[in-house]
């Protein structure tokens, strides 16, 4: 977060996409109603037969040249002498061969980032909106994921979590009590409940939980031990109503922060940016610091001063390192890349607050981590860093957190020009093309290039001007 420059390095790039609907309307005309013993189209395989009070129900899976068609189905419901048909077959066009160019074992290797393969089968994936169908390996992993691997290129194209997810509830600070109450005079008071008014808390929905009772879900996973002073929170009812004097409060706050930021990233159209359950080790160090550890792909949240997990902006900053680590294997080597990592983390914290709080003179968006900072700053507003300093390249010190303010200012100028969604989309798209040890100029040019490709030359010129103003381009 601030004093220990642990910058993101390699992790395996996560997989992408939303599954094609498994209940799409039939694209092949249904035959006339049949009797219970009537024949069905030749491109079907019987899956099951069920008996109800009124009759029998035969369910079929669609095939194409003997290969299952993803999402294609057909059903015959027979009641007495009458029968009805539901036709959910999918149109398959443009597929010339069902012979894979990628071996089954290679597909299992490609899916490794989502668990070890338990089973795999070749499937036909119908094209969207009548487009050409493709051939893929559908790999089922031991992490209950269904991974589609293109049978021609070997790329992972779709990932589905098969678990039935649940929602719970919990108390959080949104994003922290200083912002929520517009009160820069708040103090930690050794983690006392009395130090923060009850009005600072917000009861929220904790989405995407796996239903186990733990704070484990699609995008966040609290890894604390089940025993001890900082034991993992557990609720069989998925209700987590803790306050800040309870060490489990920071776990809830951190889970909520990570789930929200991943949901925001996906809302921008990105299905492959740290698309995994991010491990969180909360309150497991007494250091007044938090950090991301690339080799373990874990965010560690400290308790020194204000417990860092009480300030969502701290969590969002560290998640920024995890994002860059996921986008670029080995990212963060060298002082330029290190400063970019810190600057982007601060930008992500600010833009997440931008989407959920007001920009006021008391707590401006450009002032990040303003609750955590009350423990080690004396001036107001309390900020660990700002995104609007006058620094340029001429002010570089070589310390990545200090120099990160130069990079974050450029990103914030892009944000001011385009709004948070458009700016963040450009920034995230550009980061896929950064080199692990990029220079500022090279990364800035990649960002300009991304703006050109996404929105055109005029907007790209605005991005270039933001970096030029900081002396980067």
């Amino acid at each position: 977060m601030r004093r220990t420059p642990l910058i993101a390095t390699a992790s395996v790039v996560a997989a992408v996409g939303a599954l094609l609907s498994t209940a799409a309307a039939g694209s092949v005309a249904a035959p006339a109603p049949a009797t219970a013993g009537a024949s069905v189209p030749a491109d079907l395989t019987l899956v099951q037969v069920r008996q109800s009070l009124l009759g029998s129900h035969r369910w079929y899976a669609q095939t194409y040249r003997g290969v299952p068609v993803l999402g294609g189905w057909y059903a015959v419901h027979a009641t007495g002498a009458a029968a009805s048909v539901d036709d959910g077959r999918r149109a398959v066009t443009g597929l010339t061969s069902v012979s894979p160019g990628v071996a089954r074992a290679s597909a299992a290797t490609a899916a490794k980032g989502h668990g070890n393969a338990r089973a795999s089968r070749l499937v036909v994936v119908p094209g969207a909106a009548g487009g050409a169908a493709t051939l893929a390996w559908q790999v089922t992993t031991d992490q209950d994921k269904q991974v589609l691997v293109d049978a021609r290129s070997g790329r992972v194209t779709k990932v589905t979590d098969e678990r039935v997810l649940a929602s719970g509830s919990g108390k959080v600070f949104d994003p922290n009590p200083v912002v929520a109450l517009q009160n820069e005079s708040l103090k930690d008071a050794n983690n006392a409940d009395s130090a923060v008014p009850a009005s600072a808390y917000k009861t929220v929905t904790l989405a995407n939980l796996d239903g186990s009772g733990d704070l484990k879900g699609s995008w966040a996973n609290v890894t604390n031990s089940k025993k001890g002073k900082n034991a993992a929170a557990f609720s069989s009812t998925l209700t987590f109503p803790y306050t800040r004097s309870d060490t489990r409060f920071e776990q809830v706050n951190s889970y909520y922060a990570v789930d929200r930021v991943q949901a925001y990233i996906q809302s921008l159209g990105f299905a492959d940016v740290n698309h995994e359950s991010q491990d969180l080790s909360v309150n497991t160090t007494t250091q007044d610091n938090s950090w991301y550890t690339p080799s373990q792909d874990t965010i560690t949240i400290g308790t020194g001063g204000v417990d860092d997990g009480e300030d969502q902006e701290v969590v969002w900053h560290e998640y920024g390192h995890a994002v860059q680590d996921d986008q670029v294997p080995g990212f963060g080597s060298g002082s330029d890349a290190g400063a970019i990592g810190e600057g982007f983390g601060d930008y992500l914290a600010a833009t997440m607050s931008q989407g959920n709080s007001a920009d006021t003179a008391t707590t401006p968006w450009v002032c990040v981590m303003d609750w955590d900072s009350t423990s080690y700053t004396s001036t107001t507003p309390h900020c660990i860093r700002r995104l609007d300093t006058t620094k340029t390249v001429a002010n570089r010190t070589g310390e990545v957190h200090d120099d990160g303010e130069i990079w974050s200012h450029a990103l914030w100028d892009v944000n001011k020009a385009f709004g948070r969604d458009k700016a963040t989309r450009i920034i995230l798209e550009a980061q896929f093309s950064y080199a692990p040890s990029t220079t500022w100029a090279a990364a800035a040019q990649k960002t300009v290039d991304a703006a050109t490709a996404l929105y055109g030359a005029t907007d790209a010129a605005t991005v270039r001007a933001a970096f030029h103003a900081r002396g980067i381009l």
Side-chain angles (χ1 to χ4, degrees), residues 155-213:
R155 290 190 310 107
V156 172
T157 56
K158 308 284 181 184
V159 177
T160 287
D161 190 334
E162 288 197 302
R163 297 170 298 171
V164 177
L165 299 176
S167 293
S169 66
K171 285 186 176 181
V172 301
F173 291 147
D174 186 16
N176 62 50
V178 169
V179 172
L181 300 179
Q182 291 292 288
N183 186 350
E184 291 281 349
S185 67
L186 294 176
K187 298 296 181 183
D188 179 59
N190 197 28
N191 217 33
D193 278 337
S194 59
V196 177
S199 56
Y201 293 90
K202 180 179 180 181
T203 298
V204 298
T205 296
L206 302 175
N208 300 308
L209 291 165
D210 67 3
S212 65

Side-chain angles (χ1 to χ4, degrees), residues 178-400:
V178 169
V179 172
L181 300 179
Q182 291 292 288
N183 186 350
E184 291 281 349
S185 67
L186 294 176
K187 298 296 181 183
D188 179 59
N190 197 28
N191 217 33
D193 278 337
S194 59
V196 177
S199 56
Y201 293 90
K202 180 179 180 181
T203 298
V204 298
T205 296
L206 302 175
N208 300 308
L209 291 165
D210 67 3
S212 65
D214 297 316
L215 287 170
K216 297 180 184 295
S218 298
W219 314 125
N221 172 32
V222 174
T223 62
N224 291 41
S225 168
K226 297 290 187 181
K227 298 180 180 179
K229 179 181 178 182
N230 296 309
F234 177 85
S235 171
S236 60
T237 61
L238 304 183
T239 305
F240 303 88
Y242 314 117
T243 54
R244 67 186 299 262
S245 63
D246 189 319
T247 186
R248 294 171 293 182
F249 172 77
E250 289 79 28
Q251 297 175 33
V252 177
N253 209 49
S254 298
Y255 177 94
Y256 181 65
V258 168
D259 187 77
R260 287 173 75 193
V261 68
Q262 178 57 219
Y264 175 62
I265 289 171
Q266 291 186 41
S267 76
L268 299 177
F270 294 99
D272 199 10
V273 173
N274 207 34
H275 194 266
E276 63 179 2
S277 186
Q278 178 62 56
D279 286 348
L280 301 168
S281 180
V282 184
N283 290 358
T284 53
T285 176
T286 58
Q287 295 184 50
D288 189 10
N289 208 345
S290 295
W291 58 83
Y292 171 70
T293 305
S295 62
Q296 300 174 29
D297 194 15
T298 297
I299 294 173
T300 300
I301 307 294
T303 63
V306 171
D307 292 349
D308 285 358
E310 293 186 14
D311 194 330
Q312 290 191 47
E313 291 185 340
V314 175
V315 181
W316 290 328
H317 172 95
E318 299 306 333
Y319 194 78
H321 291 311
V323 162
Q324 289 182 320
D325 181 45
D326 180 76
Q327 289 184 288
V328 181
F331 184 81
S333 56
S335 60
D336 276 20
I340 287 172
E342 297 302 332
F344 172 69
D346 286 354
Y347 170 83
L348 188 61
T351 202
M352 284 302 296
S353 282
Q354 183 184 17
N356 298 282
S357 64
D359 189 25
T360 69
T362 304
T363 60
W365 288 328
V366 293
C367 167
V368 290
M369 307 179 213
D370 27 11
W371 172 224
D372 179 63
S373 301
T374 59
S375 292
Y376 47 82
T377 60
S378 57
T379 58
T380 56
H382 296 284
C383 315
I384 188 172
R385 286 177 294 276
R386 295 184 64 108
L387 281 71
D388 63 349
T389 71
T390 59
K391 292 180 181 179
T392 68
V393 169
N395 303 112
R396 295 188 65 172
T397 67
E399 201 288 314
V400 291

